Amino acid sequence: LHSKKLWSSGQLIMTRMKRVRGRRRRGSKGHLNSIGLQYRTCSLDPLEARTLLTAVLTGPTIGTPPNNIQNSNFFPGIEAFDQRDIQVAKISSDDPTLNGDFVVVWQDEFLSPDRTDTDIYYRLFEANGSPKTDAAPINLVPVNDEQDPRVAIADDGSFVVTWEVLNDAGNFDVMHRRFDPNGIPLAEESLVHEDNGFDQRNPDVAVYANGDYVIAWQHEPTDGTDDIQVRRYLADGTPIDAQPIDVAD
């Protein structure tokens, strides 16, 4: 019927009113209802001292708008919406400290109130899957669409990444960039071909054991035909071919 909580001498006293039902004497009708008081005591122990915690974001992020969507599943610190077009290259080396290590490259799609574009990222791993580096962007200009990455790695662990980018004129170019075995860039990103106003797409790269490399891609001139072109480089990034070579010629 009724309950009440009281504090008394460090105890919590729980009380309640209870209806007690009994029978009347022979010849009477109905039941006798009486009210009784019941209670129970509970001891109280003081809570230990607590300190409120605050969190501070650390690590590399791209962009600072407050409404960015952050994806922190496998590549923490990257504000992105989608990750796709993943490529992996593994080291096959006589050096036991490098053999089996691998590099992952992928395309990040950004979606935020002030930017919607894609960039290329990479991350190095040891053979046992332990990360050697943080995830980091490859391209230096984070406002154009960078996509379709490819990677190849030399025996010493240095690697080359190539990809296509939508330029300001609305055409696709093929870019590339070199990295040392620790993932440190050896040069800035650069065009593989001349800026001729045509679409250059779907690149791929292969690296020789000594670090020299070759990049091939699809050349799309305005006459409606598609050609395949290649260009060779020394390990230090010096072009072997002055101009791209037409594969079909």
Side-chain angles (χ1 to χ4, degrees):
L1 295 178
H2 178 70
S3 65
K4 190 175 183 180
K5 300 176 182 179
L6 301 174
W7 293 95
S8 175
S9 301
Q11 292 184 326
L12 175 63
I13 302 177
M14 307 288 295
T15 67
R16 67 175 181 172
M17 306 298 292
K18 181 179 181 182
R19 186 184 299 278
V20 181
R21 304 183 66 185
R23 294 186 179 273
R24 288 184 179 272
R25 296 177 180 177
R26 186 186 298 274
S28 299
K29 295 181 180 180
H31 295 82
L32 175 63
N33 293 330
S34 63
I35 302 299
L37 175 65
Q38 292 186 337
Y39 71 92
R40 176 173 292 179
T41 62
C42 304
S43 62
L44 299 177
D45 295 325
L47 293 175
E48 67 274 14
R50 300 286 180 90
T51 301
L52 294 178
L53 301 179
T54 59
V56 178
L57 293 177
T58 61
T61 57
I62 303 299
T64 56
N67 296 322
N68 271 10
I69 298 173
Q70 182 163 346
N71 183 336
S72 59
N73 292 333
F74 189 63
F75 303 107
I78 301 175
E79 297 177 1
F81 176 71
D82 205 359
Q83 296 163 343
R84 60 182 64 188
D85 290 343
I86 302 167
Q87 297 289 316
V88 181
K90 182 179 72 71
I91 302 175
S92 297
S93 174
D94 295 332
D95 185 348
T97 63
L98 293 175
N99 190 44
D101 290 2
F102 58 96
V103 58
V104 182
V105 299
W106 70 95
Q107 169 187 318
D108 254 35
E109 179 180 353
F110 286 77
L111 182 63
S112 70
D114 63 347
R115 64 177 292 195
T116 301
D117 58 80
T118 57
D119 291 321
I120 307 300
Y121 274 75
Y122 75 98
R123 195 175 192 185
L124 284 172
F125 293 83
E126 295 179 359
N128 62 8
S130 300
K132 294 178 65 175
T133 67
D134 292 331
I138 291 177
N139 53 287
L140 300 176
V141 182
V143 293
N144 294 334
D145 282 336
E146 323 266 348
Q147 59 194 35
D148 200 19
R150 295 294 184 270
V151 60
I153 198 164
D155 289 353
D156 65 356
S158 61
F159 59 97
V160 179
V161 181
T162 184
W163 67 96
E164 65 180 49
V165 55
L166 183 64
N167 61 33
D168 294 337
N171 299 314
F172 282 94
D173 292 325
V174 171
M175 312 292 293
H176 80 297
R177 197 175 190 189
R178 299 179 298 113
F179 296 82
D180 74 6
N182 297 314
I184 299 174
L186 295 172
E188 296 185 353
E189 60 186 283
S190 60
L191 276 172
V192 176
H193 54 83
E194 292 182 349
D195 186 7
N196 52 26
F198 302 141
D199 280 338
Q200 322 288 332
R201 309 202 63 178
N202 302 318
D204 207 350
V205 59
V207 176
Y208 297 95
N210 65 355
D212 292 355
Y213 58 98
V214 57
I215 297 176
W217 68 95
Q218 179 180 325
H219 171 63
E220 301 179 2
T222 55
D223 61 3
T225 62
D226 294 340
D227 301 325
I228 302 299
Q229 294 186 331
V230 298
R231 197 173 191 185
R232 298 171 299 156
Y233 293 83
L234 297 175
D236 63 2
T238 302
I240 297 175
D241 305 305
Q243 298 294 331
I245 301 172
D246 291 326
V247 175
D249 289 347

PDB file of all heavy atoms in Angstrom, residues 194-217:
ATOM      1  N   GLU A 194      53.953  13.421 -70.732  1.00  0.00           N
ATOM      2  CA  GLU A 194      53.782  14.852 -70.920  1.00  0.00           C
ATOM      3  C   GLU A 194      52.323  15.234 -70.705  1.00  0.00           C
ATOM      4  O   GLU A 194      51.415  14.422 -70.887  1.00  0.00           O
ATOM      5  CB  GLU A 194      54.212  15.269 -72.335  1.00  0.00           C
ATOM      6  CG  GLU A 194      55.703  15.144 -72.603  1.00  0.00           C
ATOM      7  CD  GLU A 194      56.059  15.626 -73.995  1.00  0.00           C
ATOM      8  OE1 GLU A 194      55.126  15.840 -74.799  1.00  0.00           O
ATOM      9  OE2 GLU A 194      57.257  15.794 -74.267  1.00  0.00           O
ATOM     10  N   ASP A 195      52.094  16.470 -70.317  1.00  0.00           N
ATOM     11  CA  ASP A 195      50.741  16.968 -70.151  1.00  0.00           C
ATOM     12  C   ASP A 195      50.196  17.325 -71.530  1.00  0.00           C
ATOM     13  O   ASP A 195      50.290  18.464 -71.989  1.00  0.00           O
ATOM     14  CB  ASP A 195      50.734  18.190 -69.233  1.00  0.00           C
ATOM     15  CG  ASP A 195      49.318  18.667 -68.919  1.00  0.00           C
ATOM     16  OD1 ASP A 195      48.360  17.970 -69.305  1.00  0.00           O
ATOM     17  OD2 ASP A 195      49.181  19.737 -68.288  1.00  0.00           O
ATOM     18  N   ASN A 196      49.623  16.315 -72.195  1.00  0.00           N
ATOM     19  CA  ASN A 196      49.215  16.492 -73.594  1.00  0.00           C
ATOM     20  C   ASN A 196      47.713  16.704 -73.765  1.00  0.00           C
ATOM     21  O   ASN A 196      47.220  16.762 -74.893  1.00  0.00           O
ATOM     22  CB  ASN A 196      49.658  15.296 -74.438  1.00  0.00           C
ATOM     23  CG  ASN A 196      49.214  13.969 -73.820  1.00  0.00           C
ATOM     24  OD1 ASN A 196      48.231  13.916 -73.079  1.00  0.00           O
ATOM     25  ND2 ASN A 196      49.951  12.909 -74.125  1.00  0.00           N
ATOM     26  N   GLY A 197      46.962  16.777 -72.685  1.00  0.00           N
ATOM     27  CA  GLY A 197      45.533  17.028 -72.792  1.00  0.00           C
ATOM     28  C   GLY A 197      44.702  15.794 -73.067  1.00  0.00           C
ATOM     29  O   GLY A 197      43.476  15.905 -73.210  1.00  0.00           O
ATOM     30  N   PHE A 198      45.336  14.625 -73.159  1.00  0.00           N
ATOM     31  CA  PHE A 198      44.598  13.378 -73.374  1.00  0.00           C
ATOM     32  C   PHE A 198      44.452  12.636 -72.044  1.00  0.00           C
ATOM     33  O   PHE A 198      45.176  12.888 -71.082  1.00  0.00           O
ATOM     34  CB  PHE A 198      45.315  12.477 -74.382  1.00  0.00           C
ATOM     35  CG  PHE A 198      45.523  13.119 -75.725  1.00  0.00           C
ATOM     36  CD1 PHE A 198      46.704  12.920 -76.427  1.00  0.00           C
ATOM     37  CD2 PHE A 198      44.556  13.941 -76.286  1.00  0.00           C
ATOM     38  CE1 PHE A 198      46.910  13.499 -77.668  1.00  0.00           C
ATOM     39  CE2 PHE A 198      44.751  14.541 -77.517  1.00  0.00           C
ATOM     40  CZ  PHE A 198      45.929  14.321 -78.210  1.00  0.00           C
ATOM     41  N   ASP A 199      43.521  11.697 -72.022  1.00  0.00           N
ATOM     42  CA  ASP A 199      43.362  10.854 -70.844  1.00  0.00           C
ATOM     43  C   ASP A 199      44.432   9.773 -70.810  1.00  0.00           C
ATOM     44  O   ASP A 199      44.674   9.085 -71.814  1.00  0.00           O
ATOM     45  CB  ASP A 199      41.980  10.198 -70.840  1.00  0.00           C
ATOM     46  CG  ASP A 199      40.885  11.127 -70.339  1.00  0.00           C
ATOM     47  OD1 ASP A 199      41.222  12.090 -69.627  1.00  0.00           O
ATOM     48  OD2 ASP A 199      39.708  10.901 -70.662  1.00  0.00           O
ATOM     49  N   GLN A 200      45.065   9.624 -69.648  1.00  0.00           N
ATOM     50  CA  GLN A 200      46.025   8.548 -69.396  1.00  0.00           C
ATOM     51  C   GLN A 200      45.500   7.776 -68.180  1.00  0.00           C
ATOM     52  O   GLN A 200      45.382   8.365 -67.091  1.00  0.00           O
ATOM     53  CB  GLN A 200      47.419   9.108 -69.104  1.00  0.00           C
ATOM     54  CG  GLN A 200      47.817  10.322 -69.935  1.00  0.00           C
ATOM     55  CD  GLN A 200      48.111   9.980 -71.385  1.00  0.00           C
ATOM     56  OE1 GLN A 200      48.522   8.864 -71.704  1.00  0.00           O
ATOM     57  NE2 GLN A 200      47.902  10.943 -72.277  1.00  0.00           N
ATOM     58  N   ARG A 201      45.215   6.490 -68.350  1.00  0.00           N
ATOM     59  CA  ARG A 201      44.491   5.781 -67.293  1.00  0.00           C
ATOM     60  C   ARG A 201      45.035   4.370 -67.078  1.00  0.00           C
ATOM     61  O   ARG A 201      45.870   3.884 -67.830  1.00  0.00           O
ATOM     62  CB  ARG A 201      42.989   5.717 -67.625  1.00  0.00           C
ATOM     63  CG  ARG A 201      42.362   7.057 -67.971  1.00  0.00           C
ATOM     64  CD  ARG A 201      40.882   7.063 -67.773  1.00  0.00           C
ATOM     65  NE  ARG A 201      40.515   6.846 -66.370  1.00  0.00           N
ATOM     66  CZ  ARG A 201      39.249   6.844 -65.926  1.00  0.00           C
ATOM     67  NH1 ARG A 201      38.257   7.069 -66.776  1.00  0.00           N
ATOM     68  NH2 ARG A 201      38.989   6.639 -64.660  1.00  0.00           N
ATOM     69  N   ASN A 202      44.519   3.736 -66.019  1.00  0.00           N
ATOM     70  CA  ASN A 202      44.785   2.324 -65.699  1.00  0.00           C
ATOM     71  C   ASN A 202      46.280   2.002 -65.664  1.00  0.00           C
ATOM     72  O   ASN A 202      46.754   1.102 -66.375  1.00  0.00           O
ATOM     73  CB  ASN A 202      44.075   1.415 -66.705  1.00  0.00           C
ATOM     74  CG  ASN A 202      42.577   1.644 -66.734  1.00  0.00           C
ATOM     75  OD1 ASN A 202      41.958   1.806 -65.687  1.00  0.00           O
ATOM     76  ND2 ASN A 202      41.990   1.672 -67.919  1.00  0.00           N
ATOM     77  N   PRO A 203      47.069   2.673 -64.840  1.00  0.00           N
ATOM     78  CA  PRO A 203      48.513   2.410 -64.816  1.00  0.00           C
ATOM     79  C   PRO A 203      48.850   1.120 -64.084  1.00  0.00           C
ATOM     80  O   PRO A 203      48.069   0.595 -63.293  1.00  0.00           O
ATOM     81  CB  PRO A 203      49.057   3.619 -64.046  1.00  0.00           C
ATOM     82  CG  PRO A 203      47.937   3.981 -63.114  1.00  0.00           C
ATOM     83  CD  PRO A 203      46.673   3.718 -63.876  1.00  0.00           C
ATOM     84  N   ASP A 204      50.051   0.627 -64.369  1.00  0.00           N
ATOM     85  CA  ASP A 204      50.624  -0.502 -63.641  1.00  0.00           C
ATOM     86  C   ASP A 204      52.128  -0.319 -63.596  1.00  0.00           C
ATOM     87  O   ASP A 204      52.697   0.439 -64.393  1.00  0.00           O
ATOM     88  CB  ASP A 204      50.260  -1.824 -64.310  1.00  0.00           C
ATOM     89  CG  ASP A 204      50.249  -2.979 -63.326  1.00  0.00           C
ATOM     90  OD1 ASP A 204      50.714  -2.790 -62.181  1.00  0.00           O
ATOM     91  OD2 ASP A 204      49.793  -4.088 -63.686  1.00  0.00           O
ATOM     92  N   VAL A 205      52.787  -1.000 -62.642  1.00  0.00           N
ATOM     93  CA  VAL A 205      54.218  -0.809 -62.439  1.00  0.00           C
ATOM     94  C   VAL A 205      54.863  -2.134 -62.094  1.00  0.00           C
ATOM     95  O   VAL A 205      54.251  -2.996 -61.453  1.00  0.00           O
ATOM     96  CB  VAL A 205      54.482   0.234 -61.324  1.00  0.00           C
ATOM     97  CG1 VAL A 205      53.862  -0.202 -60.009  1.00  0.00           C
ATOM     98  CG2 VAL A 205      55.965   0.522 -61.170  1.00  0.00           C
ATOM     99  N   ALA A 206      56.095  -2.298 -62.561  1.00  0.00           N
ATOM    100  CA  ALA A 206      56.919  -3.465 -62.207  1.00  0.00           C
ATOM    101  C   ALA A 206      58.314  -2.968 -61.862  1.00  0.00           C
ATOM    102  O   ALA A 206      58.826  -2.031 -62.488  1.00  0.00           O
ATOM    103  CB  ALA A 206      56.974  -4.461 -63.367  1.00  0.00           C
ATOM    104  N   VAL A 207      58.921  -3.593 -60.835  1.00  0.00           N
ATOM    105  CA  VAL A 207      60.244  -3.186 -60.364  1.00  0.00           C
ATOM    106  C   VAL A 207      61.222  -4.335 -60.547  1.00  0.00           C
ATOM    107  O   VAL A 207      60.924  -5.480 -60.217  1.00  0.00           O
ATOM    108  CB  VAL A 207      60.201  -2.761 -58.879  1.00  0.00           C
ATOM    109  CG1 VAL A 207      61.604  -2.446 -58.379  1.00  0.00           C
ATOM    110  CG2 VAL A 207      59.298  -1.541 -58.701  1.00  0.00           C
ATOM    111  N   TYR A 208      62.407  -4.029 -61.092  1.00  0.00           N
ATOM    112  CA  TYR A 208      63.474  -5.021 -61.216  1.00  0.00           C
ATOM    113  C   TYR A 208      64.149  -5.220 -59.855  1.00  0.00           C
ATOM    114  O   TYR A 208      63.984  -4.416 -58.927  1.00  0.00           O
ATOM    115  CB  TYR A 208      64.503  -4.574 -62.248  1.00  0.00           C
ATOM    116  CG  TYR A 208      63.956  -4.450 -63.653  1.00  0.00           C
ATOM    117  CD1 TYR A 208      63.505  -3.219 -64.136  1.00  0.00           C
ATOM    118  CD2 TYR A 208      63.915  -5.548 -64.500  1.00  0.00           C
ATOM    119  CE1 TYR A 208      63.005  -3.096 -65.423  1.00  0.00           C
ATOM    120  CE2 TYR A 208      63.417  -5.432 -65.794  1.00  0.00           C
ATOM    121  CZ  TYR A 208      62.962  -4.212 -66.243  1.00  0.00           C
ATOM    122  OH  TYR A 208      62.470  -4.092 -67.514  1.00  0.00           O
ATOM    123  N   ALA A 209      64.907  -6.278 -59.769  1.00  0.00           N
ATOM    124  CA  ALA A 209      65.597  -6.586 -58.516  1.00  0.00           C
ATOM    125  C   ALA A 209      66.535  -5.462 -58.090  1.00  0.00           C
ATOM    126  O   ALA A 209      66.719  -5.207 -56.887  1.00  0.00           O
ATOM    127  CB  ALA A 209      66.366  -7.901 -58.641  1.00  0.00           C
ATOM    128  N   ASN A 210      67.115  -4.752 -59.066  1.00  0.00           N
ATOM    129  CA  ASN A 210      68.065  -3.674 -58.738  1.00  0.00           C
ATOM    130  C   ASN A 210      67.378  -2.338 -58.468  1.00  0.00           C
ATOM    131  O   ASN A 210      68.051  -1.335 -58.231  1.00  0.00           O
ATOM    132  CB  ASN A 210      69.081  -3.514 -59.872  1.00  0.00           C
ATOM    133  CG  ASN A 210      68.437  -3.053 -61.172  1.00  0.00           C
ATOM    134  OD1 ASN A 210      67.216  -2.938 -61.268  1.00  0.00           O
ATOM    135  ND2 ASN A 210      69.257  -2.810 -62.181  1.00  0.00           N
ATOM    136  N   GLY A 211      66.062  -2.294 -58.532  1.00  0.00           N
ATOM    137  CA  GLY A 211      65.338  -1.064 -58.249  1.00  0.00           C
ATOM    138  C   GLY A 211      64.867  -0.306 -59.471  1.00  0.00           C
ATOM    139  O   GLY A 211      64.024   0.590 -59.345  1.00  0.00           O
ATOM    140  N   ASP A 212      65.407  -0.616 -60.653  1.00  0.00           N
ATOM    141  CA  ASP A 212      64.872  -0.005 -61.864  1.00  0.00           C
ATOM    142  C   ASP A 212      63.408  -0.419 -62.019  1.00  0.00           C
ATOM    143  O   ASP A 212      63.000  -1.489 -61.550  1.00  0.00           O
ATOM    144  CB  ASP A 212      65.659  -0.460 -63.093  1.00  0.00           C
ATOM    145  CG  ASP A 212      67.089   0.068 -63.110  1.00  0.00           C
ATOM    146  OD1 ASP A 212      67.436   0.867 -62.209  1.00  0.00           O
ATOM    147  OD2 ASP A 212      67.857  -0.345 -64.000  1.00  0.00           O
ATOM    148  N   TYR A 213      62.639   0.413 -62.697  1.00  0.00           N
ATOM    149  CA  TYR A 213      61.216   0.084 -62.812  1.00  0.00           C
ATOM    150  C   TYR A 213      60.645   0.564 -64.136  1.00  0.00           C
ATOM    151  O   TYR A 213      61.241   1.395 -64.840  1.00  0.00           O
ATOM    152  CB  TYR A 213      60.426   0.681 -61.637  1.00  0.00           C
ATOM    153  CG  TYR A 213      60.523   2.181 -61.478  1.00  0.00           C
ATOM    154  CD1 TYR A 213      59.530   3.025 -61.965  1.00  0.00           C
ATOM    155  CD2 TYR A 213      61.593   2.765 -60.793  1.00  0.00           C
ATOM    156  CE1 TYR A 213      59.605   4.394 -61.796  1.00  0.00           C
ATOM    157  CE2 TYR A 213      61.676   4.139 -60.623  1.00  0.00           C
ATOM    158  CZ  TYR A 213      60.685   4.956 -61.126  1.00  0.00           C
ATOM    159  OH  TYR A 213      60.767   6.315 -60.961  1.00  0.00           O
ATOM    160  N   VAL A 214      59.476   0.039 -64.479  1.00  0.00           N
ATOM    161  CA  VAL A 214      58.775   0.389 -65.707  1.00  0.00           C
ATOM    162  C   VAL A 214      57.307   0.582 -65.380  1.00  0.00           C
ATOM    163  O   VAL A 214      56.726  -0.160 -64.583  1.00  0.00           O
ATOM    164  CB  VAL A 214      58.958  -0.699 -66.793  1.00  0.00           C
ATOM    165  CG1 VAL A 214      58.483  -2.056 -66.296  1.00  0.00           C
ATOM    166  CG2 VAL A 214      58.228  -0.311 -68.075  1.00  0.00           C
ATOM    167  N   ILE A 215      56.713   1.607 -65.976  1.00  0.00           N
ATOM    168  CA  ILE A 215      55.301   1.912 -65.778  1.00  0.00           C
ATOM    169  C   ILE A 215      54.591   1.842 -67.116  1.00  0.00           C
ATOM    170  O   ILE A 215      55.073   2.372 -68.120  1.00  0.00           O
ATOM    171  CB  ILE A 215      55.120   3.315 -65.157  1.00  0.00           C
ATOM    172  CG1 ILE A 215      55.768   3.362 -63.768  1.00  0.00           C
ATOM    173  CG2 ILE A 215      53.642   3.681 -65.062  1.00  0.00           C
ATOM    174  CD1 ILE A 215      55.723   4.736 -63.127  1.00  0.00           C
ATOM    175  N   ALA A 216      53.460   1.156 -67.142  1.00  0.00           N
ATOM    176  CA  ALA A 216      52.633   1.050 -68.345  1.00  0.00           C
ATOM    177  C   ALA A 216      51.248   1.609 -68.029  1.00  0.00           C
ATOM    178  O   ALA A 216      50.783   1.539 -66.887  1.00  0.00           O
ATOM    179  CB  ALA A 216      52.533  -0.397 -68.803  1.00  0.00           C
ATOM    180  N   TRP A 217      50.578   2.147 -69.049  1.00  0.00           N
ATOM    181  CA  TRP A 217      49.251   2.721 -68.850  1.00  0.00           C
ATOM    182  C   TRP A 217      48.499   2.775 -70.166  1.00  0.00           C
ATOM    183  O   TRP A 217      49.050   2.533 -71.248  1.00  0.00           O
ATOM    184  CB  TRP A 217      49.356   4.109 -68.225  1.00  0.00           C
ATOM    185  CG  TRP A 217      49.959   5.165 -69.124  1.00  0.00           C
ATOM    186  CD1 TRP A 217      49.297   6.049 -69.924  1.00  0.00           C
ATOM    187  CD2 TRP A 217      51.362   5.422 -69.313  1.00  0.00           C
ATOM    188  NE1 TRP A 217      50.182   6.847 -70.598  1.00  0.00           N
ATOM    189  CE2 TRP A 217      51.454   6.485 -70.232  1.00  0.00           C
ATOM    190  CE3 TRP A 217      52.527   4.869 -68.787  1.00  0.00           C
ATOM    191  CZ2 TRP A 217      52.681   6.992 -70.651  1.00  0.00           C
ATOM    192  CZ3 TRP A 217      53.740   5.371 -69.206  1.00  0.00           C
ATOM    193  CH2 TRP A 217      53.820   6.425 -70.128  1.00  0.00           C
TER     194      TRP A 217
END
